[in-house]
Amino acid sequence: MKPALSNMLLGFLSVFLLSGCGTLFGRPNSPQDLDMNEIWSDWDDRTVFANGLISSEQETLKQLPGASTYHIEIWIAENLASLKGKEEVQFTNQESNALDSVCFQLYPNQLGGKNTVSDVTVDGEIVQLEYMEEDSAVCLHLSSPLEPKKKIIIQMNFEVDVPTEGGGNYGLFAVIDNILALDGFYPMIPAYDDQGWHLDPVSYMGDSVFSDIASYTVEIELPQNQVLASTG
């Protein structure tokens, strides 16, 4: 069967897997078998997001021309305690100044898990990485400044180890009793303002996410007999 495809608009992404008898999803031989191009070809086509909005909010997309768009594919291990993924982001500089770098928060590294990235490119070119805040963030140094209103495409692979105890953050990033909660599991662009990129450590008992509005398409390959639920 085809893998599940989830389309989400406005906000951050959380995924929950509940053990039980639900829809069975096919699995690739490896994460490298996943092909983002099979599900996405036009970055500026937001029809898939508009279709998910009620009629009174159809105009919302037109008010967010510079919002980032994430395309994420993830492959979840049989024991639910790790995953591998691919991520593409169209990022637009919405600031009044040029940007020399674009940063990503790696929230799992602050929440008892581990998140690493590899094969990072900007518009197809390899870029220099700088890990910051005890590896809880990574900044991509651009080969040339990104001027206001200009766009880039960022691509990367990532791997995540998930803690098996609740710990802080209300257990929203953990696998406990065959329930996998993946709050903020993916590399995420944080908010930027006149103070720069917000790479602050997360609160032990609070919301870990501080980012701008974004749109998402997510393709998930998961073990059989798992029920998928997500925010929207």
Side-chain angles (χ1 to χ4, degrees):
M1 300 180 67
K2 292 183 178 179
L5 177 63
S6 176
N7 302 313
M8 281 161 279
L9 168 71
L10 309 184
F12 63 92
L13 169 66
S14 296
V15 175
F16 301 86
L17 297 183
L18 311 178
S19 180
C21 53
T23 303
L24 304 184
F25 299 89
R27 298 174 59 82
N29 293 326
S30 71
Q32 286 70 33
D33 292 341
L34 298 174
D35 185 0
M36 184 68 72
N37 293 327
E38 292 181 357
I39 63 169
W40 199 265
S41 58
D42 187 354
W43 284 97
D44 296 319
D45 181 6
R46 297 193 173 188
T47 304
V48 65
F49 306 120
N51 291 340
L53 295 173
I54 60 176
S55 57
S56 62
E57 298 299 328
Q58 288 291 318
E59 294 298 312
T60 300
L61 285 175
K62 297 180 181 179
Q63 302 172 22
L64 302 167
S68 294
T69 300
Y70 290 77
H71 305 318
I72 301 173
E73 294 176 288
I74 62 173
W75 181 92
I76 297 174
E78 292 288 345
N79 65 1
L80 306 182
S82 65
L83 63 88
K84 295 183 179 182
K86 294 182 178 182
E87 177 172 311
E88 292 183 323
V89 188
Q90 178 177 262
F91 172 77
T92 302
N93 181 2
Q94 301 187 76
E95 309 305 320
S96 58
N97 57 287
L99 298 175
D100 295 321
S101 64
V102 177
C103 296
F104 287 78
Q105 289 274 32
L106 305 177
Y107 287 114
N109 293 345
Q110 300 184 63
L111 298 172
K114 184 178 181 180
N115 188 351
T116 58
V117 301
S118 61
D119 302 319
V120 183
T121 63
V122 174
D123 290 338
E125 297 184 0
I126 297 174
V127 293
Q128 179 184 355
L129 306 181
E130 180 181 3
Y131 285 87
M132 306 179 69
E133 302 295 331
E134 298 182 351
D135 293 342
S136 67
V138 62
C139 291
L140 286 51
H141 294 288
L142 306 178
S143 58
S144 60
L146 182 63
E147 299 296 331
K149 308 305 180 184
K150 296 298 183 181
K151 302 177 182 180
I152 54 176
I153 303 297
I154 302 168
Q155 297 176 303
M156 67 180 70
N157 295 330
F158 64 95
E159 297 188 23
V160 176
D161 292 331
V162 183
T164 55
E165 297 180 356
N169 203 37
Y170 308 102
L172 293 179
F173 176 71
V175 54
I176 303 173
D177 296 332
N178 289 322
I179 299 176
L180 172 61
L182 291 176
D183 180 39
F185 69 93
Y186 59 99
M188 181 189 305
I189 299 175
Y192 182 96
D193 57 22
D194 54 5
Q195 299 179 34
W197 293 106
H198 281 265
L199 306 177
D200 312 281
V202 301
S203 170
Y204 184 72
M205 296 299 285
D207 193 342
S208 60
V209 175
F210 181 31
S211 63
D212 291 327
I213 286 173
S215 303
Y216 297 84
T217 64
V218 183
E219 188 173 10
I220 302 174
E221 294 284 350
L222 61 156
Q224 293 184 347
N225 300 322
Q226 295 294 322
V227 178
L228 175 67
S230 69
T231 58

